Amino acid sequence: MSSSQPFVPSSPLSVFAGSTHRRKSKFTYKHLSQLGASSTACPLRVIAHIDLDAFYAQCEMVRLNVPEDQPLAVQQWQGLIAINYPARSFGLSRHITITEAKKLCPNLIMQHVATWKEGDETWAYHERAFEGIHSHKVSLDPYRLESRKIVATIKALLPPPPVQRVEKAGIDEVFVDLSAQIHSILLERYPELSGPAPYDDPSENLPRPPTTALDWNTDALVDLDATETEDDDPDWDDIAMLIGSEIVRSVRTAIRERLKYTCSAGVAHNKFLSKLGSGHKKPNQQTTVRNRAVQQFLSEFKFTKIRNLGGKLGDQVVATFGTDTIQDLLKIPIETCKSKFGDDTGTWIYQTIRGIDHSEVNSRTQIKSMLSAKSFRPSINTFEQGVRWLRIFVADIYSRLVEEGVLINKRRPKSINLHHRQGAQMRSRQAPIPSGSPIDEVMLFDLAKTLLGQVVVDGRAWPCANLQLSVGGFEDGVTGNRGIGGFLVRGDEAKALQSTTRDAEHHSSAMYRDRGGKRRKVDDGGIQKFFIKENSKEEHDDNSSVETGVLQPGSDDNYCDARAPINSNAHHRAAALSAKMELPMPEQQEGSSQSENTCWPSGYEVRGSSESIGIPSSADRGLQDAAAPCDNDDLYAASGRTSQHHEQSTTAFQCDRCGKSVPLSKKDEHEDWHFAKDLHEKERAKSPGPSPAADGVPKQHGAASPNDRREAPPTVKKAGSSNTASGSGVKGVKRGQSRLAFGH
């Protein structure tokens, strides 16, 4: 069964009532997304150029508070550098002399620019300054200050970065990229654009704008191209241009109300077209160049009037193609342009005359150098005169450095340069600007004076016809750095820090005691750990953490070989290990020849033996690893049984090994020394191969040197057992016990 409804194709183009209508926009969701990102490739992009009208003249009118219809011109020496629009109506231009201007406009106010007077440290407006060309230098600082106010006002009226993109193109003009802001406004006014693309496909076309008529208010609207008509419904690029025009109009109004300055503006798809638009209708107007009116707009210009197409390049184009109009150049193909001017220049010419420009609005224009100069008529002839002018140059440059952000270390120059001309000879001197110090006028002046002194020393410095001072090599300043004083604390802060450290150490010790476990020793005491005072009353706790062995100074015999590390806790570990493995252990007996550091539990007796007790050397495993299999609980249990031997209260200790009388406070150290010597000697006896003796005769393993004052390490046997000692060690083992082979 067929449908009674007529078939309607799903194409964006549909036919209704005999006329063609587009149901979809020619722009896509991808283009809308690019608009929000301020992409230079977006066809919906909108750029504005705001240009102050006769800026220098307006600054003087505002400063002098003269009526807006009063003719005024800004004078510099004997010429005019700015003329307001009321004065232009009398036929005045910047190329006429002062006398001619007075004849054409008798009521003309001619205000000389501010100047630096020789010897002064600040600029000022001087009467009859035009007569002091030899002793005055022009200052544009008043206009820079006003320009700074205008740019600040523009930025305050726009959304903050990164949506805001403002490029200062000159002292009286700025570019503004309005794309991201327009994107936000579009989504607010037209909610249908805020949804996702159909089928999540960004290449899908946007819906057609619901608006069919646009009110451009009082703007100068460029006529459409010949192929376009005003009857055509607007598309989203027209809507974007309309919103951009509204934003620029509000900015111009605010500048007028707050600062009393008028400005003209151009709104277009790129920087090139907006720049031409701002100068299209002046003063105090704005021109909108729609995408459909670009060719009509450009056809009115000679291409030699376009920026960068004048001068030598413009003359070459005219000579090559025999025309200076854009309308004629549009007929020339791109291949011809490339063959005549090269690929890059030919492509640029081809795109420029068609209004194509992908240059970005740079919010941060990089200044490469700053120059302050003076040509002397008559010439100067002394070093003192040169120094006075250098002071003026420095003040001029420093005021611009402040604007660039040198006070907040935003950007700073790396070098200062002096150019000196004497006759036809130009000489230059350069010096680095110290990077570790803040830049101020005093520093710059001292550097400039030093450079001038170098020129004078070289000879033939006078008379000087021209002097120039410049700074260059700008780089981003480093912020957030601190001097060494920033890492130090003093006074109450230092006391608080010390108190905090002590509390932390006390808390750590308390936590260790509560856990009953080991903790790493953080502060080893430095070299002082090797010495103990005579009156030291240290208490030794067998359950404490591993202690560092201390050697007794004063005698070579009291120092063991450096190859045998000393650890007073190593023997206790061995004792604990023996207790865990139920090995026979010796009992401390008076007059025995065992290691004095060994404090054996009661119930054990000592028998002399040449067999080692079985602790491996430090070269093989390290003394601290000898009792590795031992659990902490067994270690503390074994060492706890030896605590009674540390409670002796004698004032001196007679060593049975070496016969020395040792103070009781140094008994443990002395026993450690014997113990370490025994271990080291036994390891030497176990080493493979004979070791030569002093007389060249090899010694047998285990043979003691006549000079040695040590005895062989003892072997031990359980009290009451029937085992006998021999040179090979322990022969018998009780039932239930096993022999543990150490060091094999």
Side-chain angles (χ1 to χ4, degrees), residues 62-254:
V62 172
R63 184 180 68 88
L64 298 174
N65 195 25
V66 299
E68 292 184 359
D69 58 352
Q70 170 64 47
L72 182 143
V74 179
Q75 178 182 355
Q76 179 177 318
W77 312 133
Q78 297 299 320
L80 301 178
I81 62 173
I83 301 171
N84 68 358
Y85 286 92
R88 294 183 188 185
S89 62
F90 289 88
L92 273 65
S93 66
R94 290 184 293 179
H95 302 290
I96 64 176
T97 64
I98 302 297
T99 304
E100 293 174 339
K102 279 291 187 181
K103 289 181 180 180
L104 293 175
C105 185
N107 64 336
L108 177 67
I109 296 178
M110 289 187 293
Q111 174 62 52
H112 199 279
V113 296
T115 58
W116 302 84
K117 185 178 180 180
E118 182 180 359
D120 291 351
E121 296 185 0
T122 59
W123 56 266
Y125 285 94
H126 298 91
E127 292 185 7
R128 307 189 66 82
F130 59 90
E131 298 177 352
I133 187 173
H134 62 284
S135 59
H136 288 254
K137 181 187 179 305
V138 171
S139 173
L140 300 180
D141 281 0
Y143 312 134
R144 294 193 186 101
L145 294 174
E146 293 303 305
S147 175
R148 203 179 305 170
K149 293 179 183 178
I150 294 171
V151 174
T153 301
I154 294 174
K155 291 182 177 181
L157 296 170
L158 299 176
V163 174
Q164 177 189 121
R165 292 196 177 189
V166 178
E167 175 184 335
K168 186 176 181 180
I171 194 172
D172 61 344
E173 58 179 330
V174 295
F175 285 105
V176 183
D177 191 338
L178 301 171
S179 302
Q181 184 178 0
I182 292 174
H183 177 266
S184 301
I185 297 175
L186 277 176
L187 298 183
E188 292 178 3
R189 294 185 182 180
Y190 304 95
E192 61 269 25
L193 298 179
S194 58
Y199 316 111
D200 290 330
D201 184 3
S203 63
E204 284 286 325
N205 294 84
L206 294 169
R208 192 76 180 177
T211 306
T212 57
L214 302 179
D215 181 11
W216 297 98
N217 206 336
T218 58
D219 288 337
L221 194 64
V222 177
D223 294 336
L224 297 176
D225 295 342
T227 58
E228 302 285 343
T229 65
E230 295 291 350
D231 294 334
D232 296 335
D233 291 338
D235 208 338
W236 290 113
D237 57 341
D238 298 318
I239 304 296
M241 287 289 176
L242 178 65
I243 296 175
S245 296
E246 295 172 358
I247 297 172
V248 174
R249 189 180 302 112
S250 64
V251 170
R252 292 174 49 239
T253 302

Side-chain angles (χ1 to χ4, degrees), residues 540-547 567-580 585 596-601 613 615 623-624 626-627 630-632 634-646 668 671-672 675 679:
H540 301 276
D541 184 3
D542 291 331
N543 293 329
S544 65
S545 61
V546 178
E547 299 174 354
N567 192 319
S568 62
N569 206 35
H571 177 72
H572 294 301
R573 292 186 177 181
L577 179 61
S578 300
K580 181 177 181 64
M585 298 295 288
E596 299 299 330
N597 189 48
T598 307
C599 301
W600 307 110
I613 62 174
I615 300 179
L623 288 178
Q624 294 186 2
C630 179
D631 293 335
N632 286 341
D634 295 325
L635 174 62
Y636 295 140
S639 60
R641 293 193 295 268
T642 67
S643 61
Q644 58 184 341
H645 299 282
H646 291 281
D668 293 337
E671 292 174 344
D672 287 344
F675 181 66
L679 293 178

Side-chain angles (χ1 to χ4, degrees), residues 458-641:
D458 292 342
R460 298 186 60 82
W462 316 112
C464 176
N466 180 274
L467 205 58
Q468 303 176 15
L469 187 69
S470 64
V471 292
F474 279 82
E475 61 182 1
D476 294 337
V478 179
T479 59
N481 280 3
R482 293 186 297 171
I484 191 172
F487 295 92
L488 306 177
V489 292
R490 302 178 180 87
D492 296 338
E493 187 178 359
K495 294 178 181 179
L497 182 61
Q498 292 176 353
S499 176
T500 303
T501 304
R502 287 194 298 267
D503 293 344
E505 292 177 352
H506 176 73
H507 178 68
S508 177
S509 300
M511 290 179 62
Y512 162 71
R513 289 193 300 268
D514 293 341
R515 291 195 306 263
K518 296 184 179 180
R519 64 184 178 91
R520 186 180 59 166
K521 191 168 185 179
V522 178
D523 185 6
D524 59 2
I527 196 172
Q528 297 298 329
K529 70 182 181 180
F530 294 101
F531 305 96
I532 294 183
K533 298 180 181 180
E534 287 293 335
N535 297 328
S536 174
K537 296 183 179 180
E538 289 187 347
E539 296 182 1
H540 301 276
D541 184 3
D542 291 331
N543 293 329
S544 65
S545 61
V546 178
E547 299 174 354
T548 303
V550 184
L551 297 180
Q552 178 180 354
S555 172
D556 292 341
D557 293 339
N558 292 330
Y559 291 89
C560 73
D561 196 307
R563 292 171 296 177
I566 296 176
N567 192 319
S568 62
N569 206 35
H571 177 72
H572 294 301
R573 292 186 177 181
L577 179 61
S578 300
K580 181 177 181 64
M581 303 302 298
E582 299 182 357
L583 290 179
M585 298 295 288
E587 180 182 4
Q588 176 73 20
Q589 292 183 357
E590 185 178 356
S592 67
S593 59
Q594 68 180 27
S595 171
E596 299 299 330
N597 189 48
T598 307
C599 301
W600 307 110
S602 58
Y604 287 85
E605 62 181 1
V606 180
R607 295 186 303 169
S609 173
S610 60
E611 181 70 16
S612 169
I613 62 174
I615 300 179
S617 67
S618 61
D620 293 335
R621 298 178 55 188
L623 288 178
Q624 294 186 2
D625 295 335
C630 179
D631 293 335
N632 286 341
D633 295 338
D634 295 325
L635 174 62
Y636 295 140
S639 60
R641 293 193 295 268

